[in-house]
Amino acid sequence: MAQWTSAVGAAQLARLLKSQQGGPTGPGTRRPPAYRALADGIRLLVLEGRVPVAARLPAERELALGLSVSRTTVAAAYEALRAEGFLESRRGAGSWTAVPAGNPVPARGLEPLPPEALGSVIDLGCAALPAPEPWLTRAVQGALEELPPYAHTHGDYPAGLPALRAMIADRYTARGIPTMPEQIMVTTGAMGAIDAICHLFGGRGERIAVESPSYANILQLMREAGARLVPVAMAEGLAGWDMDRWRQVLREAAPRIAYVVADFHNPTGALAGEDQRRRLVDAARSAGTVLIADETMSELWLDADVEMPRPVCAFDPAGSTVITVGSASKAFWAGMRIGWVRAAPDVIRSLVAARAYADLGTPVLEQLAVNWLFGTGGWEQAVEMRRAQARQNRDELVSAVRRELPDWEFEVPRGGLTLWVRTGGLSGSRLAEAGERVGVRVPSGPRFGVDGAFEGYVRLPFTVGGAVAEEAAVRLAAAARIVESGGTSGAETPRTFVA
């Protein structure tokens, strides 16, 4: 019986492998044999989760044709991978990816490191900050005081606690977007909200237009739901959306859903202007596309003179096109898994009805805590603390990277939590692997793209500052040296670092 659970075609694997090419080619660069380079490329794809474990690889002859190399090269690469534990084969069943015994199974998203690893590894993978105390503790204490009446009920509120739905609706109304509680559903984080929307509107095989690059975990969520992702390239730098490309994609591909982050885009940090928002909503309406507007970063402006545009839903007064997603996770704390959806009442009813077959509802205590923050003014004070911390981290990380890695290029965003960095021609995938060896965890650019795009980028979040930011930049520079030398500078080992 075959041990593989999925398959990777020759054309897809060739695209992913070719995206890793490029980088320094000077006289001091050591080039491995062709079979070794192929084996290393496949191993990197497995370690990053871009090719799943237990995925059947193409036959040797098929991959050789796809890569325009000899079958001998592919056979030698497969044999090297088998010797290293990254490939298993069986006569009649083919070859499939694996991981060596004792290695953790690669994650396909961006998960935080376990606490026991934080002493020796600096985690730049997860764009999340510690809780803004004392507001977390105060919110939980306030929630406990409000809990007794709810404890006498069944505790299942598929649409969310009525008090919190009303509070969120009032906050939209205060922003100039008249909203009723019937237009709000409380979810388990923004991921839970987007998952529910995709299941309602985007069945298996449906096209979903996404910014390119976009948030890695959402892209993976959509892939695993069976969506066909249609990438739409962002404008250069921090200019936001390229509206000519968006109009073309919406007109020609007619995607059922489009997903956008208009407010301090993850990972680039771009802020879409009002005219861009208006034109995108109009284009989506004309194409019959449901537009998901992710607002999880909308309160994280870091510079005092930033003028925030109106929300995307402000340009859809009929409520027929835009579905807005918000969350407490980025602006307050990732451990507060409270998100929400704002949509037309009939859409909310459909989402609530479907929830009976998913998670039934969101935990009551966390909802009460967020409601306490909204109702007491604690939210505004906590978010201001979050902005101050992110602003300081941003400035210190930018300074450290510019000093240690002067060839790396980026524009400094005026909000959000992420820096999108061009790595001077180095492979982001190889930098991520080398970073693990020297004690810094950084996600490579292809995690934020489709089919291997953005190999020359990494994402750096504003989650560390001060001495930790300095050390992170030093370790990134060490990783860069390993990549530049062809992976031969393995003697550098991480130092234990206590933040």
Side-chain angles (χ1 to χ4, degrees):
M1 180 178 177
Q3 301 299 307
W4 50 273
T5 57
S6 62
V8 179
Q12 179 187 6
L13 185 56
R15 285 196 304 273
L16 292 170
L17 289 166
K18 287 177 181 177
S19 75
Q20 298 176 340
Q21 296 176 357
T25 57
T29 303
R30 302 182 186 180
R31 288 189 172 277
Y35 85 90
R36 184 70 260 173
L38 176 56
D40 286 347
I42 294 174
R43 178 174 53 83
L44 270 176
L45 293 173
V46 173
L47 287 172
E48 283 210 317
R50 291 162 59 201
V51 168
V53 175
R56 187 179 188 274
L57 295 185
E60 293 172 1
R61 187 185 304 276
E62 184 183 3
L63 184 57
L65 287 172
L67 293 174
S68 298
V69 300
S70 71
R71 183 177 177 183
T72 302
T73 296
V74 177
Y78 278 14
E79 181 58 35
L81 288 168
R82 278 190 288 269
E84 296 165 3
F86 286 94
L87 196 69
E88 296 181 9
S89 303
R90 181 176 299 170
R91 185 178 297 276
S95 299
W96 56 92
T97 56
V99 293
N103 280 38
V105 176
R108 304 200 73 187
L110 302 176
E111 297 78 16
L113 281 174
E116 60 270 18
L118 295 178
S120 60
V121 179
I122 298 175
D123 186 7
L124 296 181
C126 184
L129 290 163
E133 288 288 27
W135 295 106
L136 174 62
T137 298
R138 292 179 182 176
V140 173
Q141 291 171 341
L144 287 172
E145 293 176 1
E146 299 293 330
L147 183 61
Y150 295 94
H152 294 291
T153 73
H154 48 62
D156 287 335
Y157 296 87
L161 294 184
L164 181 55
R165 295 175 73 196
M167 186 71 75
I168 294 170
D170 289 345
R171 290 174 65 83
Y172 277 106
T173 299
R175 294 168 67 188
I177 318 296
T179 303
M180 303 178 295
E182 291 79 10
Q183 292 176 262
I184 301 296
M185 180 176 84
V186 180
T187 62
T188 307
M191 291 287 289
I194 294 168
D195 182 56
I197 296 166
C198 288
H199 277 89
L200 180 63
F201 288 98
R204 184 165 293 274
E206 290 279 3
R207 294 185 182 92
I208 300 181
V210 294
E211 296 150 326
S212 183
S214 187
Y215 178 37
N217 286 342
I218 292 296
L219 294 181
Q220 192 57 37
L221 181 156
M222 292 173 174
R223 290 187 189 103
E224 294 184 356
R228 297 164 59 191
L229 300 183
V230 182
V232 186
M234 297 283 288
E236 286 297 318
L238 299 177
W241 300 324
D242 185 324
M243 287 311 307
D244 290 337
R245 289 172 175 162
W246 269 106
R247 280 195 300 270
Q248 180 181 2
V249 167
L250 293 178
R251 181 177 62 249
E252 296 178 359
R256 184 70 182 94
I257 299 172
Y259 168 77
V260 297
V261 184
D263 303 295
F264 307 118
H265 174 258
N266 187 353
T268 69
L271 178 64
E274 287 213 358
D275 185 59
Q276 290 175 316
R277 297 169 189 236
R278 178 184 297 104
R279 292 164 64 192
L280 182 58
V281 172
D282 290 345
R285 184 183 299 113
S286 297
T289 297
V290 175
L291 184 61
I292 304 175
D294 185 335
E295 287 191 338
T296 53
M297 298 282 192
S298 64
E299 296 192 60
L300 290 177
W301 62 87
L302 304 184
D303 296 333
D305 59 344
V306 173
E307 294 186 11
M308 289 300 296
R310 286 178 291 169
V312 176
C313 60
F315 304 98
D316 180 37
S320 59
T321 299
V322 178
I323 298 178
T324 302
V325 172
S327 172
S329 296
K330 296 297 186 186
F332 185 74
W333 184 48
M336 188 68 76
R337 304 304 305 162
I338 298 295
W340 52 85
V341 178
R342 181 198 181 274
D346 62 315
V347 172
I348 295 297
R349 287 193 294 270
S350 296
L351 289 170
V352 171
R355 201 168 193 183
Y357 310 102
D359 63 357
L360 294 177
T362 302
V364 169
L365 188 63
E366 284 86 338
Q367 291 188 72
L368 288 172
V370 172
N371 193 60
W372 183 92
L373 287 166
F374 285 157
T376 62
W379 176 269
E380 285 72 22
Q381 295 184 64
V383 171
E384 183 54 44
M385 289 178 60
R386 171 67 76 243
R387 292 191 195 109
Q389 184 178 14
R391 183 186 308 115
Q392 180 175 343
N393 286 355
R394 177 196 65 182
D395 296 345
E396 292 171 347
L397 183 65
V398 163
S399 177
V401 171
R402 282 178 170 163
R403 182 176 58 257
E404 298 292 335
L405 294 148
D407 293 337
W408 287 18
E409 302 173 10
F410 52 85
E411 291 190 40
V412 181
R414 308 192 69 195
L417 290 172
T418 56
L419 192 67
W420 186 236
V421 181
R422 192 190 302 269
T423 55
L426 300 179
S427 161
S429 297
R430 297 183 187 279
L431 279 166
E433 183 193 35
E436 297 281 352
R437 294 160 61 181
V438 298
V440 59
R441 181 174 181 258
V442 58
S444 66
R447 287 181 174 268
F448 303 88
V450 177
D451 281 343
F454 307 110
E455 185 60 58
Y457 290 81
V458 294
R459 189 195 74 172
L460 306 180
F462 311 144
T463 52
V464 296
V468 185
E470 301 278 348
E471 178 68 13
V474 168
R475 295 185 185 189
L476 286 171
R481 289 193 295 273
I482 292 174
V483 176
E484 288 170 342
S485 66
T488 59
S489 299
E492 300 186 63
T493 56
R495 296 170 285 176
T496 300
F497 192 87
V498 180

